[in-house]
Amino acid sequence: MRTYRNETVRGFFKGMSFPLLSVAVANSVIFGAYSNALLYLTATHHRDRSTNPPSYAHILTAGCFSGLMQEAANTFCRCLVLEMKSSRRLAMSNSEAVVLAPVDLIKVRLQNQTHPYWLRSPAMGPGAHYRGPLHCGVSIFRKEGVLGLFRGTWALVLRDTPTMPVYFLTYVSLCQAVTAQGREPGPITVLVAGGCAGTASWALATPMDVIKARLQMDGMKGVSYRGVLDCIHTSIWHEGPQVFLKGLSLNSIRAFPVNAVTFLSYENILKLLC
């Protein structure tokens, strides 16, 4: 209610534009890596998995590979930025690759800005650091350098790598549990299993997501951390273990419909292409 009173409905959509630009690429990496890893491990085509389902060990391995590939893409972007900085060739033609890694940082910074940046005022109003996503990225680059765009990278790795196996294992297990052997899961099954998979993965990811967000806001609110472990220790010391549950309910509510639609789209696209 406070967000609505201070910033109207638009306040609920802060930081949305940059994630929209990268979500297709991110999902293609995640699901592409998972599908190809599973194909390599099982030597079974997607259309034949209803009669010859993969083992849980194969699903876990493929899920881990998917998480690692997602972070490898982020690491590549980071190294690319550092290389271009050292050679002084930061060209606009590379902007698409460079912008993928800091997307989450810019989203978090904008979402934590309580003053509506679209309301013009001479001094931009109290607490309004950024006028929009591009201004946010440029400001971070100018004030914190290239590495400032990659705050919270290790927390992001620790959040996503272990959750991907849980994500895919939950989905496949639920589909197999309610579908007769030799048959493909129906749309309702896919929707429910995908939603549950998203909720389960976010329940596991929320503690490290809290740490990631705090590292990304490092220094903005008078708090500075020396790294992931220091952030964990400081957070527990000041707020107790319950700090790691902040945002769990909202993450779960959001995760169910988003991942239900994601898995339904994934299955239908595979049927069309394969």
Side-chain angles (χ1 to χ4, degrees):
M1 291 301 295
R2 184 182 300 175
T3 300
Y4 179 78
R5 285 197 301 267
N6 294 338
E7 307 172 63
T8 70
V9 175
R10 295 181 66 180
F12 295 106
F13 297 92
K14 277 187 174 180
M16 185 180 70
S17 58
F18 265 35
L20 283 177
L21 295 174
S22 64
V23 66
V25 176
N27 281 331
S28 67
V29 170
I30 292 171
F31 285 91
Y34 171 75
S35 296
N36 283 284
L38 207 57
L39 178 62
Y40 175 80
L41 292 170
T42 63
T44 304
H45 198 275
H46 174 75
R47 59 176 174 267
D48 300 322
R49 286 177 192 158
S50 57
T51 56
N52 187 19
S55 66
Y56 290 153
H58 287 157
I59 296 168
L60 283 170
T61 304
C64 286
F65 179 74
S66 172
L68 289 172
M69 287 301 99
Q70 182 186 19
E71 300 312 325
N74 286 336
T75 302
F76 171 76
C77 289
R78 181 176 183 175
C79 293
L80 182 62
V81 173
L82 292 174
E83 175 64 23
M84 287 189 294
K85 182 187 178 186
S86 64
S87 61
R88 300 183 182 278
R89 289 186 285 108
L90 188 60
M92 289 300 292
S93 60
N94 296 309
S95 60
E96 289 184 359
V98 174
V99 79
L100 293 178
V103 162
D104 195 65
L105 172 67
I106 293 172
K107 180 196 71 174
V108 169
R109 290 282 179 94
L110 289 175
Q111 289 175 340
N112 278 272
Q113 179 173 274
T114 57
H115 184 78
Y117 54 77
W118 57 82
L119 293 181
R120 303 295 182 184
S121 63
M124 287 179 63
H129 297 282
Y130 312 116
R131 294 191 298 268
L134 290 176
H135 181 254
C136 179
V138 172
S139 298
I140 294 171
F141 178 77
R142 288 176 176 173
K143 293 179 181 179
E144 305 175 45
V146 175
L147 293 179
L149 291 169
F150 297 91
R151 285 184 181 273
T153 298
W154 281 113
L156 193 63
V157 172
L158 293 173
R159 184 196 73 176
D160 289 346
T161 302
T163 57
M164 283 296 105
V166 174
Y167 183 58
F168 288 109
L169 184 61
T170 303
Y171 171 73
V172 173
S173 299
L174 289 175
C175 284
Q176 291 179 352
V178 298
T179 305
Q181 189 173 4
R183 301 187 64 180
E184 294 185 355
I188 301 299
T189 300
V190 171
L191 284 170
V192 174
C196 291
T199 302
S201 64
W202 266 106
L204 179 63
T206 294
M208 195 52 63
D209 189 62
V210 172
I211 299 303
K212 174 194 69 67
R214 294 187 174 207
L215 289 171
Q216 289 173 331
M217 292 298 296
D218 194 15
M220 294 294 296
K221 297 184 177 180
V223 182
S224 182
Y225 304 106
R226 293 190 298 271
V228 174
L229 291 178
D230 181 58
C231 183
I232 293 173
H233 178 267
T234 303
S235 299
I236 294 176
W237 179 262
H238 289 290
E239 302 174 61
Q242 64 270 21
V243 67
F244 296 118
L245 300 179
K246 284 189 172 183
L248 176 59
S249 57
L250 286 177
N251 283 338
S252 300
I253 293 171
R254 179 194 66 178
F256 192 95
V258 168
N259 289 281
V261 174
T262 298
F263 270 105
L264 184 63
S265 301
Y266 165 70
E267 293 289 354
N268 285 314
I269 290 172
L270 278 183
K271 289 177 182 178
L272 289 173
L273 298 178
C274 302

